[in-house]
Amino acid sequence: MKVLLADDDVIVLRLLEKLLGRWGYETSCVGDGEAALAAIENPETRPAMAVFDWVMPGIEGLELCRRIKAAPEKGFLYIILLTGRTCEKDVVEGLNSGADDYIAKPIKAEELKSRLAVGARSVDYERRLSEFNRRLQEQNGALEKYARIMESLAEDRARQLVHAERLSSIGEMSAGIAHEINNYLAPVMGYTEMLSMKLGADASLAPERAALYKGYVDNVFKGAQKIKNLVERIRVHSRRLGAGKIPCDVNQVISQSLELCENKLKRFKVEKALTSGLPDLLADPQELEQVFVNLLKNAADAMEGREGGALKIASSLDSSGCVVVKVEDTGSGIPTDKMEHIFESFFTTKGPERGTGLGLSVSKGIVERHGGTISAANRQPCGAVFTVAIPQAPPL
Ligand SMILES: Nc1ncnc2c1ncn2[C@@H]1O[C@H](COP(=O)(O)OP(=O)(O)OP(=O)(O)O)[C@@H](O)[C@H]1O
Ligand SMILES: [Mg+2]
């Protein structure tokens, strides 16, 4: 441990140096207060303890104590004052000025040794305390950061839940709206059908004119028929409870899902590579449809604004008897650091207005309830591929 010795009496200084060296201290000696202060303020030479003579030329021992203790931020220094004055008043003045201890001259070696040992213990204690404080501050900093992150996460979650709730009520509403549209479509289709029959049988019209009008009316009927099909799909899709697990043809579910996403996919090239003769899956078709719709919508989102977007959906049978559906796109791909989070509920990179971050987590739940797996990977040179594998019969 480094100890600074300051005394203008060279003999005392040498004696102290010799004794402290013998007791294992690393000493440095100065002959006045200025030199002592300079050694203390220099981080290279700053000691852990100091022994000052009370009376020295320039800055005296007491003044040194005051100046050092007035700047505690520079670190702890244990000071022992050397003095010939041992009356109570002087001792009190010495301690009040910042000295931690004092030694009366003439110096008694054993007493000095014990008092230095007390000082060394204090220095050690101070060091451990400041290290402990430093670590505490670090931990406080980390805790504060953690609390801030949790707070902002909680706010995000609350916003997302409100959004999810809104979406779910839109889902319920759409079932009602689909029903209403169906009601209004019934007379449109009935009357156009009737009109078409009448036009075919109306002798008062020239045959070519009747054929022309009948063509118009038939087109209206076909359009209405398409609306009816679409509305029916929406109604089935938004029904909360699915049909339960029934034997279903995955290719048919894929086709229906593509139909539902027709509008979102119309700007892209869509390739359907469906293997015929696949075994039926014992599955809930509406739930499977939900999975494929989520994957198709995500693919469309990832390709938005990119040149030559192409989507491929393929079905096949793997060697373990699972029906495998792959949805590949040429979109942005998934950043590597996001890959492990995409199946978490509420994880989205689309912002609160565009995504709830529920699509993939709900899909994963559905696939797993069917005993299957869903995974994601990036494609070369761009885009992502999602693979769904479902065993023919789900777990009991
Ligand atoms: N085909 C894909 N290409 C690139 N990134 C994708 C793809 N599919 C999903 N992701 C990433 O995974 C995230 C989570 O997808 P998920 O479907 O769960 O939520 P979302 O699409 O953001 O919102 P929601 O589906 O609820 O409207 C997306 O925000 C996106 O960052
Ligand atoms: Mg999605």
Side-chain angles (χ1 to χ4, degrees), residues 265-279:
L265 294 171
K266 67 180 176 219
R267 282 187 303 279
F268 311 115
K269 185 171 161 272
V270 177
E271 185 186 346
K272 229 160 96 170
L274 308 182
T275 305
S276 53
L278 289 176

Side-chain angles (χ1 to χ4, degrees), residues 304-356:
E304 203 178 274
R306 292 170 71 94
E307 282 296 302
L311 177 131
K312 181 176 172 189
I313 185 160
S315 64
S316 59
L317 190 67
D318 74 5
S319 55
S320 62
C322 282
V323 171
V324 177
V325 177
K326 275 185 195 284
V327 179
E328 295 180 43
D329 64 63
T330 56
S332 57
I334 304 155
T336 336
D337 61 323
K338 308 271 184 323
M339 191 60 103
E340 60 176 315
H341 300 296
I342 57 170
F343 290 102
E344 289 168 9
S345 303
F346 301 115
F347 176 84
T348 180
T349 53
K350 297 176 189 171
E353 297 308 316
R354 296 199 47 221
T356 59

Side-chain angles (χ1 to χ4, degrees), residues 141-153:
L143 272 177
E144 268 170 30
K145 200 169 149 202
Y146 184 69
R148 276 199 302 275
I149 292 172
M150 292 307 287
E151 218 170 87
S152 89
L153 268 179

Side-chain angles (χ1 to χ4, degrees), residues 1-6 20 25-28 40 45-52 68 76-80 100-101 112-124 127:
M1 182 175 290
K2 274 189 194 168
V3 183
L4 176 71
L5 305 170
L20 266 71
Y25 294 100
E26 186 191 326
T27 55
S28 54
I40 288 161
T45 52
R46 186 177 175 89
M49 286 200 283
V51 180
F52 295 149
I68 293 161
F76 179 72
L77 178 69
Y78 191 87
I79 305 172
I80 300 176
D100 297 288
D101 201 358
L112 176 63
K113 189 178 175 188
S114 313
R115 289 185 183 255
L116 282 167
V118 171
R121 281 205 296 277
S122 297
V123 168
D124 188 44
R127 268 188 195 150

Side-chain angles (χ1 to χ4, degrees), residues 74-350:
K74 290 186 178 158
F76 179 72
L77 178 69
Y78 191 87
I79 305 172
I80 300 176
L81 214 48
L82 269 183
T83 174
R85 311 173 183 197
T86 49
C87 73
E88 193 185 328
K89 187 171 154 287
D90 289 335
V91 169
V92 168
E93 192 186 358
L95 294 176
N96 281 348
S97 66
D100 297 288
D101 201 358
Y102 73 97
I103 292 253
K105 286 182 183 172
I107 297 163
K108 294 182 202 77
E110 277 315 301
E111 186 187 349
L112 176 63
K113 189 178 175 188
S114 313
R115 289 185 183 255
L116 282 167
V118 171
R121 281 205 296 277
S122 297
V123 168
D124 188 44
Y125 173 73
E126 279 293 333
R127 268 188 195 150
R128 277 191 281 149
L129 201 65
S130 72
E131 173 61 13
F132 182 72
N133 274 339
R134 192 188 58 75
R135 270 197 254 141
L136 211 61
Q137 266 170 6
E138 256 175 35
Q139 280 167 1
N140 270 348
L143 272 177
E144 268 170 30
K145 200 169 149 202
Y146 184 69
R148 276 199 302 275
I149 292 172
M150 292 307 287
E151 218 170 87
S152 89
L153 268 179
E155 278 171 14
D156 282 355
R157 292 284 190 264
R159 266 199 301 273
Q160 286 162 343
L161 279 173
V162 170
H163 190 53
E165 186 53 39
R166 216 182 299 152
L167 283 187
S168 120
S169 51
I170 288 173
E172 271 168 35
M173 260 168 57
S174 61
I177 293 172
H179 184 75
E180 287 294 293
I181 295 176
N182 250 347
N183 286 347
Y184 293 124
L185 267 181
V188 172
M189 292 179 74
Y191 283 123
T192 41
E193 212 173 0
M194 218 158 74
L195 201 54
S196 169
M197 281 179 339
K198 290 256 183 253
L199 282 169
D202 193 342
S204 65
L205 277 173
E208 57 286 5
R209 199 143 278 265
L212 182 72
Y213 292 160
K214 190 173 177 315
Y216 292 160
V217 172
D218 286 348
N219 281 343
V220 172
F221 184 83
K222 278 185 211 150
Q225 181 75 54
K226 276 193 180 163
I227 296 175
K228 189 174 163 41
N229 291 346
L230 189 67
V231 162
E232 181 58 14
R233 302 275 348 116
I234 294 172
R235 203 176 60 77
V236 170
H237 185 72
S238 52
R239 233 182 12 223
R240 276 187 164 247
L241 290 172
K245 286 182 177 132
I246 52 170
C248 60
D249 174 0
V250 86
N251 288 344
Q252 201 182 327
V253 181
I254 291 174
S255 299
Q256 284 160 358
S257 310
L258 281 166
E259 224 174 87
L260 277 172
C261 298
E262 205 174 86
N263 193 41
K264 226 171 149 47
L265 294 171
K266 67 180 176 219
R267 282 187 303 279
F268 311 115
K269 185 171 161 272
V270 177
E271 185 186 346
K272 229 160 96 170
L274 308 182
T275 305
S276 53
L278 289 176
D280 274 355
L281 288 178
L282 192 55
D284 181 329
Q286 265 115 59
E287 287 198 335
L288 286 192
E289 187 180 86
Q290 206 177 335
V291 173
F292 302 143
V293 165
N294 280 332
L295 296 181
L296 293 170
K297 280 187 177 162
N298 281 349
D301 285 343
M303 294 192 292
E304 203 178 274
R306 292 170 71 94
E307 282 296 302
L311 177 131
K312 181 176 172 189
I313 185 160
S315 64
S316 59
L317 190 67
D318 74 5
S319 55
S320 62
C322 282
V323 171
V324 177
V325 177
K326 275 185 195 284
V327 179
E328 295 180 43
D329 64 63
T330 56
S332 57
I334 304 155
T336 336
D337 61 323
K338 308 271 184 323
M339 191 60 103
E340 60 176 315
H341 300 296
I342 57 170
F343 290 102
E344 289 168 9
S345 303
F346 301 115
F347 176 84
T348 180
T349 53
K350 297 176 189 171

